[in-house]
């Protein structure tokens, strides 16, 4: 089922990679991404999450990360929880806005709507952000998403040389103010978890690639 989806998307602006590929070399941005395909229906519909990080990156220390998300147009917004939970970690959310995209980073301390999070900053990478008739894609660099405070003084650091538990949520309902990164969002229709391979996400020319894609 994934093979058919991958072939279709490859023909449509290259928004998705070949099926079952753990590493995706993006021809648009030049990044080498570690990727996971997360199924959102019982058929062939899934959301692709791709992550790129600097190489080398030091364990226990913060480092920047680039997130690329490819979603079907049926998805109104998509969010990634960097700590693998809907609470007490950075939530990077994004949605399409015309031919471009909008991203924001938020945080929730309970199972309520997340609010603005000042502990992380984002840069939307325009060359990796696009939309076609069937899918939309955004690419963004996050500073502050790989090391963060969870509760109290507890700090969580994502391992650059291994697997990290991530979570995602998505809604079929588009944000009410799609041009604004502060737009309210509806409650998610689905959430799930997976272990993402950061060891395969390294890019030796990370900052150069960021600069080229702004």
């Amino acid at each position: 089922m994934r093979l058919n989806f991958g072939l279709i998307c490859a023909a449509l602006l290259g928004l998705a990679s070949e099926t079952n590929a753990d590493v995706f070399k993006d021809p648009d941005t030049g990044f080498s991404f570690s990727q996971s395909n997360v199924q959102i229906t019982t058929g062939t519909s899934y959301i692709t999450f791709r992550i790129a990080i600097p190489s080398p990156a030091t364990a226990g220390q913060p480092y920047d990360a680039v997130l690329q998300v490819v979603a079907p147009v049926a998805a109104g917004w998509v969010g990634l929880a960097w700590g693998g939970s809907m609470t007490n970690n950075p939530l990077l959310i994004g949605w399409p806005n015309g031919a471009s995209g909008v991203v924001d980073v938020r945080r929730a301390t309970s199972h309520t709507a997340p609010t603005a999070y000042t502990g992380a900053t984002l840069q939307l990478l325009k060359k990796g952000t696009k939309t076609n008739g069937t899918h939309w894609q955004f690419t963004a660099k996050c500073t502050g998403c790989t090391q963060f405070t969870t509760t109290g003084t507890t700090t969580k650091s994502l391992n650059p040389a291994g697997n990290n538990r991530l979570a995602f949520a998505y809604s079929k309902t588009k944000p009410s103010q799609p041009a604004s990164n502060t737009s309210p969002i509806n409650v998610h229709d689905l959430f799930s978890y997976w272990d993402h391979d950061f060891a395969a996400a390294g890019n030796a020319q990370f900052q150069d690639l960021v600069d080229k894609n702004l």
Side-chain angles (χ1 to χ4, degrees):
M1 289 187 293
R2 288 189 175 183
L3 177 61
N4 292 338
F5 182 83
L7 289 175
I8 293 169
C9 290
L12 296 168
L13 295 181
L15 292 186
S17 70
E18 295 178 3
T19 183
N20 297 326
D22 295 326
V23 176
F24 174 70
K25 179 71 173 180
D26 185 6
D28 294 331
T29 66
F31 282 103
S32 180
F33 289 100
S34 170
Q35 75 168 13
S36 293
N37 297 318
V38 182
Q39 197 168 51
I40 58 173
T41 71
T42 55
T44 59
S45 185
Y46 60 88
I47 297 173
T48 298
F49 293 89
R50 298 173 179 150
I51 291 176
I53 63 174
S55 179
T58 303
Q61 298 295 320
Y63 52 90
D64 290 344
V66 168
L67 171 67
Q68 184 174 89
V69 172
V70 183
V73 292
W77 63 264
V78 175
L80 176 78
W82 291 89
S85 169
M86 292 298 110
T87 61
N88 299 313
N89 64 146
L91 307 174
L92 198 167
I93 60 175
W95 56 83
N97 180 40
S100 186
V102 174
V103 293
D104 195 29
V105 61
R106 303 182 188 183
R107 182 182 171 108
T109 56
S110 62
H111 290 281
T112 57
T115 57
Y117 176 55
T118 60
T121 58
L122 300 178
Q123 283 183 295
L124 184 68
L125 304 186
K126 296 179 181 179
K127 292 183 180 179
T129 301
K130 54 189 176 180
T131 303
N132 66 23
T134 60
H135 294 81
W136 54 269
Q137 170 181 301
F138 73 78
T139 307
K141 187 195 81 169
C142 184
T143 300
C145 285
T146 60
Q147 187 180 75
F148 46 87
T149 301
T150 55
T151 58
T153 59
T154 302
T155 298
K156 180 178 180 65
S157 299
L158 301 189
N159 180 10
N163 290 338
N164 293 285
R165 172 59 59 97
L166 304 178
F168 92 100
Y170 98 103
S171 172
K172 298 176 184 177
T173 304
K174 297 179 180 179
S176 57
Q177 304 166 31
S180 172
N181 71 312
T182 62
S183 176
I185 57 174
N186 280 46
V187 67
H188 55 262
D189 292 306
L190 177 71
F191 69 91
S192 189
Y193 310 87
W194 77 97
D195 292 326
H196 199 97
D197 183 9
F198 277 52
N203 287 257
Q205 303 300 320
F206 182 86
Q207 189 57 50
D208 288 342
L209 290 171
V210 168
D211 293 341
K212 290 177 181 178
N213 284 283
L214 293 175

